[in-house]
Amino acid sequence: MRVIRLFVLVAAVCLSANFQALAGDMLTPVVASAMKPSTSAFRGTDKKLHLVYELEITNTGSATATLQGVDVVSAADSKQVLASFEGAALLSRLRYVGRGDAMAAATIGFSETRLLLIDIALDEDARPPATLMHRFHLLAGGPPGSPKDLVVEQEYTIAPIAVSTDVMVLGPPLSGKGWVAFNGCCEAGGVHRGSGQPVNGVMQFAQRFAIDWMLLGADARIFRGDGKGVKDYFDYGAKVIAVADGTVVDALSTLDDQLPGDLPDPKTITIENVDGNHIVLDLGQGRYGFYAHLQKNSLLVHKGDHVKRGQALALLGNTGNTSAPHLHFHLMDGTSVLGSSGLPYVIDHFEVSGQLPVAQFNKDGISGEWSKDLLATPSSRKLEFPVDLTVVDF
């Protein structure tokens, strides 16, 4: 036992020294790459500049690898560290491939793959580097000729991703006061954030920036009574509007409302009906707006129609995989509602009228009473993205 531990220490020192000295090729038993070649920085209502993306990490070594930490650094200057993830912060962002939002262990067996959900919040006036890299701290298989089960401490910087500031400016998808951004960006534990899906042979995060919009009533609640009927919800029947000029490229309006309170039987959900009645708008520049869970037969547009910003499209409902009436909206880079990549955006102007506390939402869900969390005087905002649990007046 002592001999093995001594050998591990010596190997770690030698390997680390080699990595630091090499400016060219090196052996990296754990490999990683960004799932998309670029990410876009955007400003949120929390007055932070956000970067959100994913890494795919695979252990090619014969020994089981253990991730100890990942630093996000500038490609131009590795001493410039934008974020560091270790311990609980690292574990909360690791996912098994194909396991939805199930958190993964930091140990990675031979030929196993993990996903790392990255979310970075910088000061709103920060200027992020043009390219990011990722410095891995890990235990992984030793150099050639080592015993198969030997692991050595290693550190290397890999997985570049370009950073853009090109985000689309949209109008609101709804009108009126008291809209709450439920299940929004950007924490890794969010319902939408971790909902990657294997579609058409590719792992996609279409809902990366999705929001479930629900309306607060005059009593600062989401629904009246016991919430067992769709009409108990203050948002039910609200007009859904176009966020920009565009063309309808997909529409469905034939599904019935679900009863609130529970999600439908998973056996009844298919890739065709999971989002209920819906509309996809081609907004140009390779970007598409997606509206889900609309009322049956409420659509005012059809495939091929051209629409103008602010035009009424349909009524908010409770169709598809939903437990309560709401509007699911997200922006994506293709027409497939699950087989596309979710894109950030900003809304040109609106007001923030409150921020619901995470702890109370985790405890009470949508049944809470939120009057104490509303602002006496709403705050005017421009060119920002409503982050999770923000209350917005459009």
Side-chain angles (χ1 to χ4, degrees), residues 54-348:
E54 301 81 35
L55 298 182
E56 187 175 64
I57 305 167
T58 300
N59 178 20
T60 70
S62 58
T64 297
T66 302
L67 294 180
Q68 298 174 312
V70 177
D71 303 324
V72 184
V73 302
S74 166
D77 179 8
S78 62
K79 294 180 181 179
Q80 182 184 354
V81 180
L82 282 74
S84 294
F85 305 108
E86 59 183 8
L90 178 66
L91 287 173
S92 68
R93 291 166 170 82
L94 286 170
R95 299 290 185 273
Y96 294 105
V97 178
R99 293 280 300 278
D101 58 0
M103 289 192 295
T107 53
I108 310 175
F110 171 61
S111 288
E112 290 184 352
T113 298
R114 300 286 186 269
L115 301 180
L116 179 61
L117 310 186
I118 301 284
D119 57 283
I120 304 170
L122 307 173
D123 292 338
E124 64 174 335
D125 58 352
R127 294 185 178 181
T131 304
L132 303 177
M133 297 285 286
H134 301 84
R135 184 162 56 232
F136 278 67
H137 307 268
L138 68 162
L139 297 173
S146 302
K148 290 182 64 175
D149 58 351
L150 173 71
V151 294
V152 297
E153 189 172 3
Q154 303 184 31
E155 176 185 308
Y156 45 81
T157 303
I158 53 176
I161 184 169
V163 177
S164 169
T165 56
D166 178 26
V167 294
M168 197 168 200
V169 179
L170 301 178
L174 298 150
S175 62
K177 298 181 178 181
W179 289 101
V180 184
F182 285 111
N183 298 325
C185 189
C186 297
E187 296 295 328
V191 171
H192 291 132
R193 175 67 185 97
S195 59
Q197 299 290 334
V199 182
N200 301 330
V202 179
M203 196 72 181
Q204 295 281 17
F205 283 80
Q207 302 181 87
R208 189 183 284 119
F209 302 103
I211 292 174
D212 288 338
W213 289 106
M214 302 185 80
L215 183 65
L216 290 175
D219 60 355
R221 293 182 179 275
I222 294 296
F223 58 85
R224 60 177 70 85
D226 61 8
K228 296 298 184 181
V230 291
K231 293 183 179 180
D232 292 343
Y233 292 78
F234 296 107
D235 59 6
Y236 186 75
K239 289 183 180 180
V240 172
I241 61 177
V243 293
D245 295 354
T247 302
V248 179
V249 294
D250 189 22
L252 179 68
S253 64
T254 59
L255 301 176
D256 294 322
D257 282 322
Q258 300 288 339
L259 289 175
D262 296 296
L263 291 171
D265 184 345
K267 296 178 182 178
T268 67
I269 297 299
T270 67
I271 197 168
E272 288 79 19
N273 68 19
V274 63
D275 297 301
N277 299 321
H278 61 266
I279 294 171
V280 178
L281 292 183
D282 182 349
L283 305 177
Q285 306 175 50
R287 289 157 180 172
Y288 300 81
F290 174 58
Y291 303 76
H293 310 307
L294 307 173
Q295 271 191 41
K296 182 179 182 179
N297 296 327
S298 74
L299 274 65
L300 303 173
V301 294
H302 303 86
K303 187 175 181 179
D305 287 352
H306 298 283
V307 302
K308 294 292 186 180
R309 173 181 160 155
Q311 179 178 333
L313 302 176
L315 300 181
L316 185 151
N318 191 46
T319 57
N321 191 39
T322 170
S323 59
H326 68 278
L327 172 66
H328 171 112
F329 178 82
H330 70 246
L331 188 68
M332 54 194 181
D333 68 357
T335 59
S336 173
V337 299
L338 293 179
S340 301
S341 183
L343 302 173
Y345 59 91
V346 292
I347 299 177
D348 52 5

